[in-house]
Amino acid sequence: MLALALIGGSVALPGLPSLAQGDSRRAEVGQTSNADQVITESRARAIAWSAGMVHVEEIMRAGDRWELAGRTADDEEIILDIDARDGRILD
């Protein structure tokens, strides 16, 4: 009978959450909201490259922003501040 229940769909066994309960618990525990997530350093570099920076000389995270200093293809110095939450280039 247990084999039929397992083949036919999810079954709650004593002491084990059902598959649906496991999914909802995963959402409640240990997951961060989008507001808590930040872009990675490699993503910040990619954003800087797309803005014309071809050589990153310095990169650091300061609170809710990535600060990058580097050079353009014309060897001009460029400094960018990137929002660490959504990747926007800040003024």
PDB file of all heavy atoms in Angstrom, residues 38-53 56 58-69 78-91:
ATOM      1  N   VAL A  38      22.603  41.019  -2.849  1.00  0.00           N
ATOM      2  CA  VAL A  38      23.484  41.993  -3.482  1.00  0.00           C
ATOM      3  C   VAL A  38      24.142  41.353  -4.696  1.00  0.00           C
ATOM      4  O   VAL A  38      24.300  40.134  -4.762  1.00  0.00           O
ATOM      5  CB  VAL A  38      24.566  42.523  -2.516  1.00  0.00           C
ATOM      6  CG1 VAL A  38      23.947  43.307  -1.374  1.00  0.00           C
ATOM      7  CG2 VAL A  38      25.421  41.408  -1.985  1.00  0.00           C
ATOM      8  N   ILE A  39      24.525  42.186  -5.654  1.00  0.00           N
ATOM      9  CA  ILE A  39      25.200  41.654  -6.830  1.00  0.00           C
ATOM     10  C   ILE A  39      26.623  41.275  -6.435  1.00  0.00           C
ATOM     11  O   ILE A  39      27.201  41.832  -5.512  1.00  0.00           O
ATOM     12  CB  ILE A  39      25.184  42.649  -8.002  1.00  0.00           C
ATOM     13  CG1 ILE A  39      25.933  43.925  -7.658  1.00  0.00           C
ATOM     14  CG2 ILE A  39      23.756  42.960  -8.430  1.00  0.00           C
ATOM     15  CD1 ILE A  39      26.164  44.841  -8.836  1.00  0.00           C
ATOM     16  N   THR A  40      27.189  40.330  -7.140  1.00  0.00           N
ATOM     17  CA  THR A  40      28.532  39.848  -6.856  1.00  0.00           C
ATOM     18  C   THR A  40      29.574  40.817  -7.412  1.00  0.00           C
ATOM     19  O   THR A  40      29.262  41.677  -8.246  1.00  0.00           O
ATOM     20  CB  THR A  40      28.765  38.471  -7.489  1.00  0.00           C
ATOM     21  OG1 THR A  40      28.652  38.608  -8.916  1.00  0.00           O
ATOM     22  CG2 THR A  40      27.766  37.441  -6.970  1.00  0.00           C
ATOM     23  N   GLU A  41      30.809  40.631  -6.976  1.00  0.00           N
ATOM     24  CA  GLU A  41      31.904  41.438  -7.501  1.00  0.00           C
ATOM     25  C   GLU A  41      32.054  41.224  -9.003  1.00  0.00           C
ATOM     26  O   GLU A  41      32.261  42.183  -9.760  1.00  0.00           O
ATOM     27  CB  GLU A  41      33.213  41.089  -6.794  1.00  0.00           C
ATOM     28  CG  GLU A  41      34.395  41.880  -7.312  1.00  0.00           C
ATOM     29  CD  GLU A  41      35.697  41.554  -6.604  1.00  0.00           C
ATOM     30  OE1 GLU A  41      35.663  41.141  -5.424  1.00  0.00           O
ATOM     31  OE2 GLU A  41      36.752  41.717  -7.242  1.00  0.00           O
ATOM     32  N   SER A  42      31.935  39.989  -9.455  1.00  0.00           N
ATOM     33  CA  SER A  42      32.083  39.729 -10.892  1.00  0.00           C
ATOM     34  C   SER A  42      30.969  40.405 -11.681  1.00  0.00           C
ATOM     35  O   SER A  42      31.197  40.894 -12.790  1.00  0.00           O
ATOM     36  CB  SER A  42      32.149  38.234 -11.175  1.00  0.00           C
ATOM     37  OG  SER A  42      30.964  37.600 -10.798  1.00  0.00           O
ATOM     38  N   ARG A  43      29.768  40.459 -11.132  1.00  0.00           N
ATOM     39  CA  ARG A  43      28.664  41.162 -11.809  1.00  0.00           C
ATOM     40  C   ARG A  43      28.937  42.658 -11.837  1.00  0.00           C
ATOM     41  O   ARG A  43      28.687  43.321 -12.848  1.00  0.00           O
ATOM     42  CB  ARG A  43      27.338  40.863 -11.112  1.00  0.00           C
ATOM     43  CG  ARG A  43      26.152  41.543 -11.748  1.00  0.00           C
ATOM     44  CD  ARG A  43      25.835  40.952 -13.125  1.00  0.00           C
ATOM     45  NE  ARG A  43      24.744  41.700 -13.709  1.00  0.00           N
ATOM     46  CZ  ARG A  43      24.785  42.256 -14.910  1.00  0.00           C
ATOM     47  NH1 ARG A  43      25.831  42.093 -15.682  1.00  0.00           N
ATOM     48  NH2 ARG A  43      23.777  42.948 -15.360  1.00  0.00           N
ATOM     49  N   ALA A  44      29.487  43.224 -10.764  1.00  0.00           N
ATOM     50  CA  ALA A  44      29.843  44.648 -10.738  1.00  0.00           C
ATOM     51  C   ALA A  44      30.898  44.950 -11.795  1.00  0.00           C
ATOM     52  O   ALA A  44      30.832  45.972 -12.486  1.00  0.00           O
ATOM     53  CB  ALA A  44      30.332  45.044  -9.350  1.00  0.00           C
ATOM     54  N   ARG A  45      31.875  44.056 -11.947  1.00  0.00           N
ATOM     55  CA  ARG A  45      32.899  44.230 -12.992  1.00  0.00           C
ATOM     56  C   ARG A  45      32.265  44.219 -14.385  1.00  0.00           C
ATOM     57  O   ARG A  45      32.595  45.031 -15.243  1.00  0.00           O
ATOM     58  CB  ARG A  45      33.939  43.125 -12.903  1.00  0.00           C
ATOM     59  CG  ARG A  45      34.892  43.259 -11.752  1.00  0.00           C
ATOM     60  CD  ARG A  45      35.856  42.064 -11.710  1.00  0.00           C
ATOM     61  NE  ARG A  45      36.709  42.128 -10.557  1.00  0.00           N
ATOM     62  CZ  ARG A  45      37.888  42.769 -10.532  1.00  0.00           C
ATOM     63  NH1 ARG A  45      38.329  43.372 -11.609  1.00  0.00           N
ATOM     64  NH2 ARG A  45      38.604  42.795  -9.437  1.00  0.00           N
ATOM     65  N   ALA A  46      31.338  43.296 -14.618  1.00  0.00           N
ATOM     66  CA  ALA A  46      30.670  43.203 -15.922  1.00  0.00           C
ATOM     67  C   ALA A  46      29.885  44.482 -16.223  1.00  0.00           C
ATOM     68  O   ALA A  46      29.882  44.965 -17.362  1.00  0.00           O
ATOM     69  CB  ALA A  46      29.755  41.979 -15.958  1.00  0.00           C
ATOM     70  N   ILE A  47      29.247  45.034 -15.224  1.00  0.00           N
ATOM     71  CA  ILE A  47      28.502  46.288 -15.407  1.00  0.00           C
ATOM     72  C   ILE A  47      29.473  47.414 -15.755  1.00  0.00           C
ATOM     73  O   ILE A  47      29.214  48.220 -16.646  1.00  0.00           O
ATOM     74  CB  ILE A  47      27.684  46.616 -14.148  1.00  0.00           C
ATOM     75  CG1 ILE A  47      26.560  45.582 -13.969  1.00  0.00           C
ATOM     76  CG2 ILE A  47      27.120  48.032 -14.215  1.00  0.00           C
ATOM     77  CD1 ILE A  47      25.882  45.616 -12.618  1.00  0.00           C
ATOM     78  N   ALA A  48      30.609  47.458 -15.060  1.00  0.00           N
ATOM     79  CA  ALA A  48      31.618  48.487 -15.342  1.00  0.00           C
ATOM     80  C   ALA A  48      32.154  48.343 -16.764  1.00  0.00           C
ATOM     81  O   ALA A  48      32.335  49.340 -17.475  1.00  0.00           O
ATOM     82  CB  ALA A  48      32.749  48.405 -14.322  1.00  0.00           C
ATOM     83  N   TRP A  49      32.404  47.115 -17.201  1.00  0.00           N
ATOM     84  CA  TRP A  49      32.898  46.891 -18.565  1.00  0.00           C
ATOM     85  C   TRP A  49      31.861  47.362 -19.586  1.00  0.00           C
ATOM     86  O   TRP A  49      32.208  47.950 -20.604  1.00  0.00           O
ATOM     87  CB  TRP A  49      33.262  45.432 -18.783  1.00  0.00           C
ATOM     88  CG  TRP A  49      34.471  44.994 -18.011  1.00  0.00           C
ATOM     89  CD1 TRP A  49      35.539  45.759 -17.648  1.00  0.00           C
ATOM     90  CD2 TRP A  49      34.723  43.695 -17.497  1.00  0.00           C
ATOM     91  NE1 TRP A  49      36.441  45.005 -16.930  1.00  0.00           N
ATOM     92  CE2 TRP A  49      35.969  43.732 -16.832  1.00  0.00           C
ATOM     93  CE3 TRP A  49      34.021  42.496 -17.523  1.00  0.00           C
ATOM     94  CZ2 TRP A  49      36.525  42.620 -16.208  1.00  0.00           C
ATOM     95  CZ3 TRP A  49      34.576  41.398 -16.904  1.00  0.00           C
ATOM     96  CH2 TRP A  49      35.819  41.460 -16.262  1.00  0.00           C
ATOM     97  N   SER A  50      30.594  47.091 -19.303  1.00  0.00           N
ATOM     98  CA  SER A  50      29.548  47.523 -20.235  1.00  0.00           C
ATOM     99  C   SER A  50      29.408  49.045 -20.262  1.00  0.00           C
ATOM    100  O   SER A  50      28.884  49.592 -21.223  1.00  0.00           O
ATOM    101  CB  SER A  50      28.207  46.870 -19.893  1.00  0.00           C
ATOM    102  OG  SER A  50      27.690  47.399 -18.691  1.00  0.00           O
ATOM    103  N   ALA A  51      29.910  49.723 -19.230  1.00  0.00           N
ATOM    104  CA  ALA A  51      29.872  51.187 -19.175  1.00  0.00           C
ATOM    105  C   ALA A  51      31.138  51.815 -19.758  1.00  0.00           C
ATOM    106  O   ALA A  51      31.313  53.025 -19.693  1.00  0.00           O
ATOM    107  CB  ALA A  51      29.671  51.644 -17.733  1.00  0.00           C
ATOM    108  N   GLY A  52      32.046  50.993 -20.298  1.00  0.00           N
ATOM    109  CA  GLY A  52      33.228  51.531 -20.958  1.00  0.00           C
ATOM    110  C   GLY A  52      34.540  51.354 -20.218  1.00  0.00           C
ATOM    111  O   GLY A  52      35.594  51.742 -20.716  1.00  0.00           O
ATOM    112  N   MET A  53      34.524  50.766 -19.048  1.00  0.00           N
ATOM    113  CA  MET A  53      35.759  50.520 -18.308  1.00  0.00           C
ATOM    114  C   MET A  53      36.403  49.252 -18.883  1.00  0.00           C
ATOM    115  O   MET A  53      35.775  48.206 -18.922  1.00  0.00           O
ATOM    116  CB  MET A  53      35.470  50.357 -16.812  1.00  0.00           C
ATOM    117  CG  MET A  53      36.705  50.253 -15.948  1.00  0.00           C
ATOM    118  SD  MET A  53      36.326  50.092 -14.164  1.00  0.00           S
ATOM    119  CE  MET A  53      35.663  51.693 -13.759  1.00  0.00           C
ATOM    120  N   VAL A  56      39.986  47.410 -14.719  1.00  0.00           N
ATOM    121  CA  VAL A  56      39.593  47.731 -13.349  1.00  0.00           C
ATOM    122  C   VAL A  56      40.860  47.787 -12.505  1.00  0.00           C
ATOM    123  O   VAL A  56      41.573  46.799 -12.379  1.00  0.00           O
ATOM    124  CB  VAL A  56      38.608  46.684 -12.785  1.00  0.00           C
ATOM    125  CG1 VAL A  56      38.275  46.984 -11.337  1.00  0.00           C
ATOM    126  CG2 VAL A  56      37.350  46.618 -13.633  1.00  0.00           C
ATOM    127  N   GLU A  58      40.774  49.237  -9.257  1.00  0.00           N
ATOM    128  CA  GLU A  58      40.385  49.086  -7.852  1.00  0.00           C
ATOM    129  C   GLU A  58      38.894  48.820  -7.779  1.00  0.00           C
ATOM    130  O   GLU A  58      38.105  49.414  -8.513  1.00  0.00           O
ATOM    131  CB  GLU A  58      40.716  50.370  -7.081  1.00  0.00           C
ATOM    132  CG  GLU A  58      40.477  50.272  -5.599  1.00  0.00           C
ATOM    133  CD  GLU A  58      40.902  51.553  -4.859  1.00  0.00           C
ATOM    134  OE1 GLU A  58      41.698  52.325  -5.408  1.00  0.00           O
ATOM    135  OE2 GLU A  58      40.409  51.741  -3.745  1.00  0.00           O
ATOM    136  N   ILE A  59      38.523  47.901  -6.891  1.00  0.00           N
ATOM    137  CA  ILE A  59      37.105  47.613  -6.653  1.00  0.00           C
ATOM    138  C   ILE A  59      36.932  47.302  -5.178  1.00  0.00           C
ATOM    139  O   ILE A  59      37.731  46.584  -4.578  1.00  0.00           O
ATOM    140  CB  ILE A  59      36.593  46.455  -7.547  1.00  0.00           C
ATOM    141  CG1 ILE A  59      35.088  46.243  -7.327  1.00  0.00           C
ATOM    142  CG2 ILE A  59      37.384  45.185  -7.323  1.00  0.00           C
ATOM    143  CD1 ILE A  59      34.439  45.330  -8.345  1.00  0.00           C
ATOM    144  N   MET A  60      35.910  47.900  -4.582  1.00  0.00           N
ATOM    145  CA  MET A  60      35.607  47.608  -3.182  1.00  0.00           C
ATOM    146  C   MET A  60      34.121  47.820  -2.941  1.00  0.00           C
ATOM    147  O   MET A  60      33.474  48.602  -3.616  1.00  0.00           O
ATOM    148  CB  MET A  60      36.443  48.454  -2.228  1.00  0.00           C
ATOM    149  CG  MET A  60      36.183  49.949  -2.292  1.00  0.00           C
ATOM    150  SD  MET A  60      37.192  50.868  -1.130  1.00  0.00           S
ATOM    151  CE  MET A  60      36.146  50.836   0.290  1.00  0.00           C
ATOM    152  N   ARG A  61      33.619  47.072  -1.984  1.00  0.00           N
ATOM    153  CA  ARG A  61      32.219  47.217  -1.609  1.00  0.00           C
ATOM    154  C   ARG A  61      32.153  48.075  -0.363  1.00  0.00           C
ATOM    155  O   ARG A  61      32.840  47.822   0.625  1.00  0.00           O
ATOM    156  CB  ARG A  61      31.588  45.857  -1.346  1.00  0.00           C
ATOM    157  CG  ARG A  61      30.174  46.012  -0.881  1.00  0.00           C
ATOM    158  CD  ARG A  61      29.256  44.960  -1.416  1.00  0.00           C
ATOM    159  NE  ARG A  61      28.008  45.116  -0.705  1.00  0.00           N
ATOM    160  CZ  ARG A  61      27.552  44.257   0.186  1.00  0.00           C
ATOM    161  NH1 ARG A  61      28.189  43.151   0.421  1.00  0.00           N
ATOM    162  NH2 ARG A  61      26.423  44.497   0.814  1.00  0.00           N
ATOM    163  N   ALA A  62      31.335  49.101  -0.423  1.00  0.00           N
ATOM    164  CA  ALA A  62      31.138  50.009   0.706  1.00  0.00           C
ATOM    165  C   ALA A  62      29.637  50.106   0.961  1.00  0.00           C
ATOM    166  O   ALA A  62      28.927  50.833   0.267  1.00  0.00           O
ATOM    167  CB  ALA A  62      31.738  51.379   0.413  1.00  0.00           C
ATOM    168  N   GLY A  63      29.170  49.348   1.928  1.00  0.00           N
ATOM    169  CA  GLY A  63      27.746  49.362   2.255  1.00  0.00           C
ATOM    170  C   GLY A  63      26.898  48.831   1.125  1.00  0.00           C
ATOM    171  O   GLY A  63      27.058  47.698   0.699  1.00  0.00           O
ATOM    172  N   ASP A  64      26.023  49.678   0.592  1.00  0.00           N
ATOM    173  CA  ASP A  64      25.105  49.245  -0.458  1.00  0.00           C
ATOM    174  C   ASP A  64      25.573  49.640  -1.855  1.00  0.00           C
ATOM    175  O   ASP A  64      24.783  49.788  -2.758  1.00  0.00           O
ATOM    176  CB  ASP A  64      23.700  49.782  -0.195  1.00  0.00           C
ATOM    177  CG  ASP A  64      23.643  51.296  -0.186  1.00  0.00           C
ATOM    178  OD1 ASP A  64      24.716  51.941  -0.209  1.00  0.00           O
ATOM    179  OD2 ASP A  64      22.523  51.847  -0.159  1.00  0.00           O
ATOM    180  N   ARG A  65      26.886  49.805  -2.025  1.00  0.00           N
ATOM    181  CA  ARG A  65      27.414  50.143  -3.339  1.00  0.00           C
ATOM    182  C   ARG A  65      28.768  49.505  -3.588  1.00  0.00           C
ATOM    183  O   ARG A  65      29.502  49.211  -2.658  1.00  0.00           O
ATOM    184  CB  ARG A  65      27.493  51.651  -3.537  1.00  0.00           C
ATOM    185  CG  ARG A  65      28.511  52.330  -2.644  1.00  0.00           C
ATOM    186  CD  ARG A  65      28.626  53.821  -2.885  1.00  0.00           C
ATOM    187  NE  ARG A  65      27.337  54.451  -2.790  1.00  0.00           N
ATOM    188  CZ  ARG A  65      27.004  55.579  -3.386  1.00  0.00           C
ATOM    189  NH1 ARG A  65      27.881  56.218  -4.110  1.00  0.00           N
ATOM    190  NH2 ARG A  65      25.817  56.081  -3.264  1.00  0.00           N
ATOM    191  N   TRP A  66      29.033  49.261  -4.854  1.00  0.00           N
ATOM    192  CA  TRP A  66      30.356  48.850  -5.304  1.00  0.00           C
ATOM    193  C   TRP A  66      31.030  50.094  -5.848  1.00  0.00           C
ATOM    194  O   TRP A  66      30.418  50.843  -6.618  1.00  0.00           O
ATOM    195  CB  TRP A  66      30.263  47.802  -6.413  1.00  0.00           C
ATOM    196  CG  TRP A  66      29.937  46.430  -5.932  1.00  0.00           C
ATOM    197  CD1 TRP A  66      28.719  45.821  -5.964  1.00  0.00           C
ATOM    198  CD2 TRP A  66      30.836  45.486  -5.359  1.00  0.00           C
ATOM    199  NE1 TRP A  66      28.807  44.555  -5.430  1.00  0.00           N
ATOM    200  CE2 TRP A  66      30.096  44.327  -5.061  1.00  0.00           C
ATOM    201  CE3 TRP A  66      32.196  45.502  -5.059  1.00  0.00           C
ATOM    202  CZ2 TRP A  66      30.671  43.202  -4.488  1.00  0.00           C
ATOM    203  CZ3 TRP A  66      32.764  44.377  -4.490  1.00  0.00           C
ATOM    204  CH2 TRP A  66      32.003  43.249  -4.209  1.00  0.00           C
ATOM    205  N   GLU A  67      32.271  50.345  -5.452  1.00  0.00           N
ATOM    206  CA  GLU A  67      33.036  51.477  -5.962  1.00  0.00           C
ATOM    207  C   GLU A  67      34.168  50.930  -6.821  1.00  0.00           C
ATOM    208  O   GLU A  67      34.967  50.120  -6.359  1.00  0.00           O
ATOM    209  CB  GLU A  67      33.582  52.309  -4.808  1.00  0.00           C
ATOM    210  CG  GLU A  67      32.476  52.905  -3.945  1.00  0.00           C
ATOM    211  CD  GLU A  67      32.991  53.620  -2.709  1.00  0.00           C
ATOM    212  OE1 GLU A  67      34.214  53.617  -2.450  1.00  0.00           O
ATOM    213  OE2 GLU A  67      32.157  54.185  -1.984  1.00  0.00           O
ATOM    214  N   LEU A  68      34.211  51.365  -8.078  1.00  0.00           N
ATOM    215  CA  LEU A  68      35.218  50.877  -9.024  1.00  0.00           C
ATOM    216  C   LEU A  68      35.984  52.052  -9.615  1.00  0.00           C
ATOM    217  O   LEU A  68      35.399  53.082  -9.931  1.00  0.00           O
ATOM    218  CB  LEU A  68      34.566  50.109 -10.173  1.00  0.00           C
ATOM    219  CG  LEU A  68      33.858  48.813  -9.793  1.00  0.00           C
ATOM    220  CD1 LEU A  68      32.403  49.037  -9.546  1.00  0.00           C
ATOM    221  CD2 LEU A  68      34.062  47.801 -10.873  1.00  0.00           C
ATOM    222  N   ALA A  69      37.281  51.884  -9.746  1.00  0.00           N
ATOM    223  CA  ALA A  69      38.128  52.850 -10.429  1.00  0.00           C
ATOM    224  C   ALA A  69      38.910  52.092 -11.482  1.00  0.00           C
ATOM    225  O   ALA A  69      39.372  50.980 -11.245  1.00  0.00           O
ATOM    226  CB  ALA A  69      39.074  53.527  -9.442  1.00  0.00           C
ATOM    227  N   ILE A  78      38.263  56.454 -15.070  1.00  0.00           N
ATOM    228  CA  ILE A  78      36.813  56.413 -14.870  1.00  0.00           C
ATOM    229  C   ILE A  78      36.543  55.849 -13.484  1.00  0.00           C
ATOM    230  O   ILE A  78      37.202  54.908 -13.032  1.00  0.00           O
ATOM    231  CB  ILE A  78      36.116  55.587 -15.982  1.00  0.00           C
ATOM    232  CG1 ILE A  78      34.597  55.619 -15.822  1.00  0.00           C
ATOM    233  CG2 ILE A  78      36.620  54.160 -16.008  1.00  0.00           C
ATOM    234  CD1 ILE A  78      33.848  54.990 -16.986  1.00  0.00           C
ATOM    235  N   ILE A  79      35.608  56.471 -12.798  1.00  0.00           N
ATOM    236  CA  ILE A  79      35.197  56.019 -11.464  1.00  0.00           C
ATOM    237  C   ILE A  79      33.700  55.777 -11.512  1.00  0.00           C
ATOM    238  O   ILE A  79      32.939  56.629 -11.980  1.00  0.00           O
ATOM    239  CB  ILE A  79      35.543  57.070 -10.391  1.00  0.00           C
ATOM    240  CG1 ILE A  79      37.053  57.267 -10.331  1.00  0.00           C
ATOM    241  CG2 ILE A  79      34.982  56.651  -9.036  1.00  0.00           C
ATOM    242  CD1 ILE A  79      37.496  58.407  -9.436  1.00  0.00           C
ATOM    243  N   LEU A  80      33.282  54.611 -11.059  1.00  0.00           N
ATOM    244  CA  LEU A  80      31.862  54.251 -11.058  1.00  0.00           C
ATOM    245  C   LEU A  80      31.425  53.802  -9.676  1.00  0.00           C
ATOM    246  O   LEU A  80      32.158  53.094  -8.987  1.00  0.00           O
ATOM    247  CB  LEU A  80      31.595  53.107 -12.040  1.00  0.00           C
ATOM    248  CG  LEU A  80      31.786  53.380 -13.521  1.00  0.00           C
ATOM    249  CD1 LEU A  80      31.609  52.087 -14.299  1.00  0.00           C
ATOM    250  CD2 LEU A  80      30.807  54.428 -14.002  1.00  0.00           C
ATOM    251  N   ASP A  81      30.242  54.212  -9.299  1.00  0.00           N
ATOM    252  CA  ASP A  81      29.562  53.680  -8.124  1.00  0.00           C
ATOM    253  C   ASP A  81      28.364  52.900  -8.636  1.00  0.00           C
ATOM    254  O   ASP A  81      27.561  53.422  -9.405  1.00  0.00           O
ATOM    255  CB  ASP A  81      29.097  54.793  -7.188  1.00  0.00           C
ATOM    256  CG  ASP A  81      30.241  55.467  -6.463  1.00  0.00           C
ATOM    257  OD1 ASP A  81      31.320  54.867  -6.363  1.00  0.00           O
ATOM    258  OD2 ASP A  81      30.058  56.603  -5.988  1.00  0.00           O
ATOM    259  N   ILE A  82      28.262  51.642  -8.212  1.00  0.00           N
ATOM    260  CA  ILE A  82      27.193  50.757  -8.667  1.00  0.00           C
ATOM    261  C   ILE A  82      26.384  50.313  -7.462  1.00  0.00           C
ATOM    262  O   ILE A  82      26.944  49.865  -6.455  1.00  0.00           O
ATOM    263  CB  ILE A  82      27.781  49.532  -9.405  1.00  0.00           C
ATOM    264  CG1 ILE A  82      28.561  50.003 -10.637  1.00  0.00           C
ATOM    265  CG2 ILE A  82      26.686  48.548  -9.775  1.00  0.00           C
ATOM    266  CD1 ILE A  82      29.312  48.901 -11.341  1.00  0.00           C
ATOM    267  N   ASP A  83      25.074  50.456  -7.563  1.00  0.00           N
ATOM    268  CA  ASP A  83      24.179  50.011  -6.493  1.00  0.00           C
ATOM    269  C   ASP A  83      24.334  48.505  -6.324  1.00  0.00           C
ATOM    270  O   ASP A  83      24.144  47.746  -7.284  1.00  0.00           O
ATOM    271  CB  ASP A  83      22.744  50.374  -6.828  1.00  0.00           C
ATOM    272  CG  ASP A  83      21.790  50.152  -5.677  1.00  0.00           C
ATOM    273  OD1 ASP A  83      21.723  49.011  -5.165  1.00  0.00           O
ATOM    274  OD2 ASP A  83      21.105  51.102  -5.275  1.00  0.00           O
ATOM    275  N   ALA A  84      24.684  48.063  -5.139  1.00  0.00           N
ATOM    276  CA  ALA A  84      24.956  46.646  -4.883  1.00  0.00           C
ATOM    277  C   ALA A  84      23.683  45.802  -4.872  1.00  0.00           C
ATOM    278  O   ALA A  84      23.760  44.586  -4.982  1.00  0.00           O
ATOM    279  CB  ALA A  84      25.687  46.488  -3.554  1.00  0.00           C
ATOM    280  N   ARG A  85      22.528  46.419  -4.771  1.00  0.00           N
ATOM    281  CA  ARG A  85      21.281  45.653  -4.735  1.00  0.00           C
ATOM    282  C   ARG A  85      20.722  45.375  -6.119  1.00  0.00           C
ATOM    283  O   ARG A  85      20.215  44.297  -6.374  1.00  0.00           O
ATOM    284  CB  ARG A  85      20.233  46.397  -3.904  1.00  0.00           C
ATOM    285  CG  ARG A  85      20.631  46.528  -2.439  1.00  0.00           C
ATOM    286  CD  ARG A  85      19.764  47.520  -1.770  1.00  0.00           C
ATOM    287  NE  ARG A  85      20.018  48.810  -2.452  1.00  0.00           N
ATOM    288  CZ  ARG A  85      19.718  49.983  -1.951  1.00  0.00           C
ATOM    289  NH1 ARG A  85      19.137  50.078  -0.794  1.00  0.00           N
ATOM    290  NH2 ARG A  85      19.978  51.092  -2.607  1.00  0.00           N
ATOM    291  N   ASP A  86      20.834  46.363  -7.018  1.00  0.00           N
ATOM    292  CA  ASP A  86      20.192  46.159  -8.321  1.00  0.00           C
ATOM    293  C   ASP A  86      21.112  46.407  -9.513  1.00  0.00           C
ATOM    294  O   ASP A  86      20.697  46.221 -10.654  1.00  0.00           O
ATOM    295  CB  ASP A  86      18.930  47.015  -8.435  1.00  0.00           C
ATOM    296  CG  ASP A  86      19.209  48.508  -8.312  1.00  0.00           C
ATOM    297  OD1 ASP A  86      20.375  48.946  -8.455  1.00  0.00           O
ATOM    298  OD2 ASP A  86      18.239  49.261  -8.077  1.00  0.00           O
ATOM    299  N   GLY A  87      22.338  46.840  -9.290  1.00  0.00           N
ATOM    300  CA  GLY A  87      23.303  46.995 -10.375  1.00  0.00           C
ATOM    301  C   GLY A  87      23.216  48.310 -11.129  1.00  0.00           C
ATOM    302  O   GLY A  87      23.896  48.478 -12.133  1.00  0.00           O
ATOM    303  N   ARG A  88      22.381  49.239 -10.647  1.00  0.00           N
ATOM    304  CA  ARG A  88      22.306  50.547 -11.312  1.00  0.00           C
ATOM    305  C   ARG A  88      23.615  51.302 -11.120  1.00  0.00           C
ATOM    306  O   ARG A  88      24.209  51.265 -10.051  1.00  0.00           O
ATOM    307  CB  ARG A  88      21.201  51.417 -10.695  1.00  0.00           C
ATOM    308  CG  ARG A  88      19.812  51.055 -11.076  1.00  0.00           C
ATOM    309  CD  ARG A  88      18.781  51.992 -10.430  1.00  0.00           C
ATOM    310  NE  ARG A  88      18.926  51.986  -8.966  1.00  0.00           N
ATOM    311  CZ  ARG A  88      19.172  53.075  -8.235  1.00  0.00           C
ATOM    312  NH1 ARG A  88      19.321  54.249  -8.790  1.00  0.00           N
ATOM    313  NH2 ARG A  88      19.270  52.990  -6.926  1.00  0.00           N
ATOM    314  N   ILE A  89      24.040  52.026 -12.167  1.00  0.00           N
ATOM    315  CA  ILE A  89      25.178  52.920 -12.035  1.00  0.00           C
ATOM    316  C   ILE A  89      24.669  54.199 -11.402  1.00  0.00           C
ATOM    317  O   ILE A  89      23.711  54.817 -11.892  1.00  0.00           O
ATOM    318  CB  ILE A  89      25.837  53.179 -13.402  1.00  0.00           C
ATOM    319  CG1 ILE A  89      26.390  51.868 -13.953  1.00  0.00           C
ATOM    320  CG2 ILE A  89      26.924  54.233 -13.266  1.00  0.00           C
ATOM    321  CD1 ILE A  89      26.979  51.976 -15.337  1.00  0.00           C
ATOM    322  N   LEU A  90      25.280  54.581 -10.293  1.00  0.00           N
ATOM    323  CA  LEU A  90      24.830  55.757  -9.546  1.00  0.00           C
ATOM    324  C   LEU A  90      25.596  56.990 -10.012  1.00  0.00           C
ATOM    325  O   LEU A  90      26.717  56.910 -10.482  1.00  0.00           O
ATOM    326  CB  LEU A  90      25.066  55.529  -8.047  1.00  0.00           C
ATOM    327  CG  LEU A  90      24.407  54.261  -7.484  1.00  0.00           C
ATOM    328  CD1 LEU A  90      24.865  54.018  -6.069  1.00  0.00           C
ATOM    329  CD2 LEU A  90      22.894  54.377  -7.544  1.00  0.00           C
ATOM    330  N   ASP A  91      24.982  58.153  -9.873  1.00  0.00           N
ATOM    331  CA  ASP A  91      25.631  59.421 -10.249  1.00  0.00           C
ATOM    332  C   ASP A  91      26.736  59.785  -9.288  1.00  0.00           C
ATOM    333  O   ASP A  91      26.753  59.494  -8.149  1.00  0.00           O
ATOM    334  CB  ASP A  91      24.612  60.558 -10.284  1.00  0.00           C
ATOM    335  CG  ASP A  91      23.613  60.352 -11.429  1.00  0.00           C
ATOM    336  OD1 ASP A  91      24.000  59.776 -12.444  1.00  0.00           O
ATOM    337  OD2 ASP A  91      22.462  60.793 -11.277  1.00  0.00           O
TER     338      ASP A  91
END
